[in-house]
Amino acid sequence: MNDSEFLPSADSAGWRIIQLKSTTSTNDHAWKLASEGAGHGLVIVAERQTGGRGRRGRTWLSPPGANLTFSLILRPFLLPEAVPPLSLVAAAALFSCLKTDIPHLAIKWPNDIYSGNRKLAGILSEMKMKGRETDFVLVGIGLNVNALPDDLPPALRETAVSMRQATGRQFQLSQVLHRFLLAFQPRYEQYCRHGLRGSLLEILRKHSYLSGRRVVVKVDGRTLVGTAREIDTHGRLLVDDESGSCWPVTAGEATIMKMDGSEQRGDAHGSGG
Ligand code: BTN
């Protein structure tokens, strides 16, 4: 990526893009700017993150310049409890803009994109409240675009995949980012106005990686074993336990259970190449 790569269409759909050579984490950078008053629609994209973060305290590793690592600053008029599904909105937008290029694409609740059985993208959303209201939301996305297995630590080679690996082609980072922003905009507006319904919910349900599969879900230190069903209008994953009771899971870590009862290797990792 060169310095001006993101500039020509920096205004796509009203988004404003700040491009950094290096930062600890685009979410940290965005948090600072938003705390200082940066408005809705600012996008921070970095060529290199020295402290990229994943969910649950994990790291996000990405070879400099090969992939997209970026964060959106959003200031939605949403109650704090309506904010978490924004990760699913971002996942639906990623799915939509990648589906024509990437084979075997699926959305793994609550915030990953898979191609086949490997992780292509991860989403880390964070929120700041002002009193009891939402002040701002950050949607941080790591999308593996052009990285090759040799660019990754051995542990990630079997669990992560890039667009390049999945297709045999290289992609221009700026084009992929702009495609995402164009796909995200209408879905974000749809969610803010109507919640998770209609075409948005349809994408999440139709292309769910987990639905119908045996899963182990870890929520607040408890473990639920069962079969994943659909995603409901609150963005919860419905899981039928062994006795047939249905549990709506708001947040957690879901891993696929293999035939022998063990958890699918690599499925739980929270970092990508
Ligand atoms: C996960 O899969 O656990 C979420 C990974 C999110 C990674 C992105 S990269 C851009 C933004 N900055 C970060 O430090 N993390 C997110």
Side-chain angles (χ1 to χ4, degrees), residues 14-118:
W15 299 94
R16 302 170 316 283
I17 298 174
I18 293 183
Q19 189 182 339
L20 303 171
K21 273 263 166 228
S22 178
T23 185
T24 51
S25 147
T26 55
N27 268 34
D28 293 348
H29 199 95
W31 186 279
K32 183 168 177 292
L33 293 183
S35 300
E36 290 166 1
H40 175 90
L42 196 62
V43 182
I44 314 299
V45 51
E47 188 170 331
R48 170 198 291 267
Q49 293 189 122
T50 54
R53 296 188 284 111
R55 289 171 73 228
R56 298 175 188 276
R58 290 184 288 232
T59 53
W60 182 263
L61 300 174
S62 188
N67 295 331
L68 276 172
T69 49
F70 63 99
S71 303
L72 313 180
I73 296 177
L74 308 174
R75 293 193 182 267
F77 294 105
L78 291 174
L79 291 171
E81 54 269 32
V83 165
L86 282 173
S87 288
L88 289 169
V89 175
L94 275 172
F95 180 89
S96 304
C97 76
L98 298 175
K99 69 174 184 225
T100 49
D101 287 310
I102 311 299
H104 313 299
L105 202 61
I107 299 169
K108 180 171 176 274
W109 180 93
N111 63 354
D112 291 336
I113 301 291
Y114 271 52
S115 170
N117 284 324
R118 293 174 183 223

Side-chain angles (χ1 to χ4, degrees), residues 31-206:
W31 186 279
K32 183 168 177 292
L33 293 183
S35 300
E36 290 166 1
H40 175 90
L42 196 62
V43 182
I44 314 299
V45 51
E47 188 170 331
R48 170 198 291 267
Q49 293 189 122
T50 54
R53 296 188 284 111
R55 289 171 73 228
R56 298 175 188 276
R58 290 184 288 232
T59 53
W60 182 263
L61 300 174
S62 188
N67 295 331
L68 276 172
T69 49
F70 63 99
S71 303
L72 313 180
I73 296 177
L74 308 174
R75 293 193 182 267
F77 294 105
L78 291 174
L79 291 171
E81 54 269 32
V83 165
L86 282 173
S87 288
L88 289 169
V89 175
L94 275 172
F95 180 89
S96 304
C97 76
L98 298 175
K99 69 174 184 225
T100 49
D101 287 310
I102 311 299
H104 313 299
L105 202 61
I107 299 169
K108 180 171 176 274
W109 180 93
N111 63 354
D112 291 336
I113 301 291
Y114 271 52
S115 170
N117 284 324
R118 293 174 183 223
K119 183 158 162 170
L120 183 72
I123 301 166
L124 176 68
S125 296
E126 298 178 302
M127 160 174 64
K128 181 156 181 256
M129 289 171 62
K130 195 195 268 172
R132 294 164 73 167
E133 291 176 2
T134 305
D135 185 3
F136 61 79
V137 180
L138 308 177
V139 175
I141 298 180
L143 171 59
N144 301 327
V145 182
N146 290 321
L148 291 172
D150 279 355
D151 302 328
L152 305 178
L156 285 181
R157 285 179 200 160
E158 286 179 25
T159 58
V161 68
S162 68
M163 295 170 65
R164 181 175 178 183
Q165 281 172 265
T167 61
R169 289 191 287 131
Q170 290 204 61
F171 293 81
Q172 204 184 353
L173 298 182
S174 60
Q175 271 179 12
V176 178
L177 176 63
H178 288 115
R179 266 164 56 188
F180 168 76
L181 294 174
L182 289 172
F184 181 74
Q185 180 70 31
R187 288 174 179 83
Y188 171 74
E189 284 169 14
Q190 186 187 352
Y191 176 71
C192 290
R193 287 199 186 120
H194 308 293
L196 274 190
R197 302 180 190 283
S199 56
L200 197 46
L201 192 56
E202 200 182 312
I203 292 176
L204 296 170
R205 286 181 171 168
K206 203 166 157 195

